[in-house]
Amino acid sequence: MCNLLAYIKHHRGQNEAALECLQQAEELIQREHADQAEIRSVVTWGNYAWVYYHMGRLSEAQVYVDKVKHVCEKFSSPYRIESPEIDCEEGWAQLKCGRKNTERAKVCFEKCLEKNPKNPEFTSGLAISSYRLDKWPPPQNPIDILQQAIQLNPDNPDNQYVKVLLALKLQKMNEEGGGQRLVEEAVEKAPQATEVLRTAAMLYRRQNDLDKAIDLFKKALECMPNNAYLHCQIGACYRAKVHEYQNVGENAMYGNREELQELIGQAISYLKRADELNGNLIHICSYLACLYAQLGQYEEAEHYFQKEFSKELSPVNKQVLHLRYGNFQLYQMKCDNKAIHHFMEGMKINQESRETEKMKTKLQRIAKTRLSKNRADPEALHLLAFLEELNGKRQPAEEISERGLDSGYLVPSASLTEE
């Protein structure tokens, strides 16, 4: 991790900071791998040489080039070396660089294990790679390798992350009992490990234990106060608690209005901070817009909706945004025409989604309401014709209007929280 951070600092032109990161990497190797210090340090020394070279400090660069040469000659040949430890370093670096590199990371750890099949670190690396590939092609089944990694080194603080990954996998397989025990063990043995805390929090969030999830996310945030992802997750948990209040009914919600507003405030606070730290995170602005709308702050809601529309969104995310903004226009702004426009635009994007069905239902209801007042309402007939066209089943206008009048409800309940 220190070498990767040094690389980032160097590319930002912060070479002195990069050298500090490399010094930390050296100290970490001496502390954790003293018996393999030379072979483990080859990558760090090569990075020292690179940074010093670009700083114009050529004599210092040559010192590290010579160190690398000496190790390579000792273990293999000048400037070239085959070592599972170096392959392991590459594997961890690939894992840190995003999911598109996960397959390459897995190959690195598999190569390491060919040389040393019982090495706990190599096995953990393969387990984590396999877990991440489980959600992305090619499909993997990481259960066995996750269990093997834990068995090889169950009490190592660095291996607790593997435990929570296995717990998440067991949760998906409806074996939550075993997963719960693993998470509790992992958090107890690695109470300051942000990856453990974050991933454990995700398990509790999926169990709908939102208070426990928030507590763990906040503990991770203490170690990484400027992490946009953590702010986003905490905000999303508070948002989910807002949804819980809305689901209990208006009478119960009215009696706890102050508490509800407090939850909305907490959600807004954390989501706004996440947006400040990383303005490219998807959904945050539409979450904020919906929350502000619930407080009756419609100008703020409009601002964040437009900010979300300005982003480069995938078709699926764009469709969700049209649904949310359409709801806002329909229920809060009482503007049918804008709502209709966005529901129609959303439906054009993807006809095979949950959002499509929701927007279809809303358009049918709008048409029904209008036709109940005027059976020849041109906008209502246009809506129903549009829906039939998307379904590939065009019918005469009179038949369409009769069908529209016989379905749905006249007055839908507002829902800015629907997904």
Side-chain angles (χ1 to χ4, degrees):
M1 185 63 182
C2 293
N3 275 285
L4 186 59
L5 188 57
Y7 174 82
I8 294 169
K9 297 289 187 184
H10 165 66
H11 273 271
R12 290 176 175 173
Q14 302 169 351
N15 286 318
E16 291 294 343
L19 292 174
E20 290 179 9
C21 292
L22 293 174
Q23 183 180 352
Q24 292 172 12
E26 275 194 304
E27 292 170 355
L28 189 65
I29 290 168
Q30 290 292 340
R31 186 165 62 249
E32 296 188 358
H33 304 285
D35 57 334
Q36 299 176 314
E38 275 191 326
I39 196 73
R40 291 269 185 174
S41 296
V42 167
V43 173
T44 304
W45 291 341
N47 290 337
Y48 263 122
W50 178 261
V51 174
Y52 278 129
Y53 172 80
H54 283 276
M55 293 175 74
R57 294 162 62 173
L58 302 185
S59 60
E60 289 163 291
Q62 188 62 49
V63 168
Y64 285 97
V65 169
D66 292 341
K67 282 189 171 189
V68 172
K69 181 179 179 181
H70 170 73
V71 175
C72 291
E73 286 177 335
K74 182 176 178 180
F75 289 94
S76 184
S77 61
Y79 306 117
R80 183 174 179 81
I81 189 169
E82 290 288 335
S83 162
E85 287 77 16
I86 293 178
D87 288 327
C88 179
E89 287 291 323
E90 181 185 349
W92 290 122
Q94 296 283 2
L95 276 179
K96 290 289 183 183
C97 290
R99 74 174 190 178
K100 68 179 181 180
N101 298 296
T102 305
E103 182 65 36
R104 175 59 192 161
K106 181 171 177 284
V107 171
C108 290
F109 291 119
E110 287 174 335
K111 187 177 177 183
C112 294
L113 287 165
E114 289 175 2
K115 302 284 183 65
N116 190 347
K118 296 296 184 182
N119 184 285
E121 183 181 1
F122 303 164
T123 306
S124 294
L126 180 60
I128 294 169
S129 304
S130 298
Y131 175 86
R132 293 184 182 178
L133 285 170
D134 187 38
K135 294 184 179 179
W136 196 60
Q140 308 288 322
N141 182 7
I143 288 286
D144 291 343
I145 191 66
L146 287 166
Q147 290 175 331
Q148 183 183 351
I150 293 169
Q151 290 166 2
L152 285 171
N153 207 351
D155 297 322
N156 188 332
D158 294 334
N159 211 26
Q160 303 312 307
Y161 178 53
V162 178
K163 286 185 180 179
V164 290
L165 292 183
L166 178 57
L168 282 174
K169 189 64 184 172
L170 291 173
Q171 185 186 51
K172 292 177 188 175
M173 298 170 65
N174 296 318
E175 297 180 19
E176 294 189 9
Q180 187 80 23
R181 176 181 54 79
L182 287 168
V183 166
E184 291 170 358
E185 286 180 9
V187 171
E188 181 182 352
K189 292 179 179 178
Q192 301 299 317
T194 55
E195 282 295 301
V196 171
L197 293 170
R198 180 185 66 82
T199 311
M202 289 302 301
L203 180 136
Y204 286 110
R205 184 179 173 189
R206 290 175 185 174
Q207 290 178 346
N208 206 37
D209 189 345
L210 296 171
D211 290 328
K212 184 65 174 178
I214 289 170
D215 180 58
L216 291 172
F217 278 131
K218 285 184 175 179
K219 285 181 180 178
L221 193 64
E222 291 174 5
C223 303
M224 305 174 70
N226 293 319
N227 186 285
Y229 173 84
L230 291 173
H231 282 280
C232 178
Q233 289 295 332
I234 296 171
C237 286
Y238 278 115
R239 175 175 172 268
K241 288 174 74 70
V242 171
H243 292 188
E244 287 183 346
Y245 265 86
Q246 291 174 326
N247 290 334
V248 300
E250 280 195 29
N251 291 334
M253 192 166 64
Y254 183 80
N256 295 288
R257 188 161 295 278
E258 287 187 8
E259 189 171 347
L260 175 61
Q261 290 189 336
E262 172 65 20
L263 290 173
I264 293 174
Q266 290 281 15
I268 287 174
S269 175
Y270 281 100
L271 290 171
K272 281 186 72 173
R273 182 58 180 151
D275 185 51
E276 291 167 2
L277 291 167
N278 184 349
N280 295 319
L281 292 174
I282 303 302
H283 296 311
I284 284 185
C285 287
S286 64
Y287 287 169
L288 283 166
C290 292
L291 290 164
Y292 275 118
Q294 289 173 273
L295 292 177
Q297 298 181 30
Y298 298 150
E299 287 186 10
E300 286 292 319
E302 180 69 26
H303 166 75
Y304 280 105
F305 271 125
Q306 294 308 319
K307 189 172 181 180
E308 189 79 5
F309 273 115
S310 70
K311 296 179 182 179
E312 289 291 329
L313 301 175
S314 69
V316 171
N317 290 328
K318 191 175 293 185
Q319 188 180 49
V320 170
L321 181 56
H322 278 296
L323 172 60
R324 289 176 179 161
Y325 189 60
N327 282 341
F328 172 65
Q329 291 296 335
L330 182 63
Y331 300 129
Q332 269 59 46
M333 305 307 292
K334 310 300 181 185
C335 183
D336 283 12
N337 289 337
K338 285 187 178 181
I340 289 168
H341 170 76
H342 284 279
F343 292 148
M344 291 175 70
E345 288 301 306
M347 285 193 69
K348 292 175 186 177
I349 294 171
N350 178 6
Q351 296 180 42
E352 302 295 332
S353 71
R354 185 176 60 173
E355 285 74 22
T356 295
E357 289 303 310
K358 289 182 177 181
M359 288 184 281
K360 176 182 176 181
T361 300
K362 291 174 188 297
L363 290 174
Q364 286 174 336
R365 288 173 176 173
I366 292 171
K368 175 179 169 74
T369 301
R370 290 193 173 204
L371 289 170
S372 68
K373 299 174 183 177
N374 177 6
R375 296 178 66 85
D377 186 297
E379 183 67 26
L381 295 176
H382 171 68
L383 282 180
L384 294 174
F386 166 78
L387 294 172
E388 290 296 332
E389 183 177 356
L390 285 185
N391 288 335
K393 298 177 181 178
R394 287 189 175 274
Q395 297 178 21
E398 287 185 9
E399 188 176 346
I400 293 171
S401 64
E402 289 294 335
R403 178 172 157 182
L405 282 166
D406 291 337
S407 62
Y409 298 93
L410 283 176
V411 184
S413 59
S415 176
L416 280 169
T417 61
E418 93 184 296
E419 297 298 325

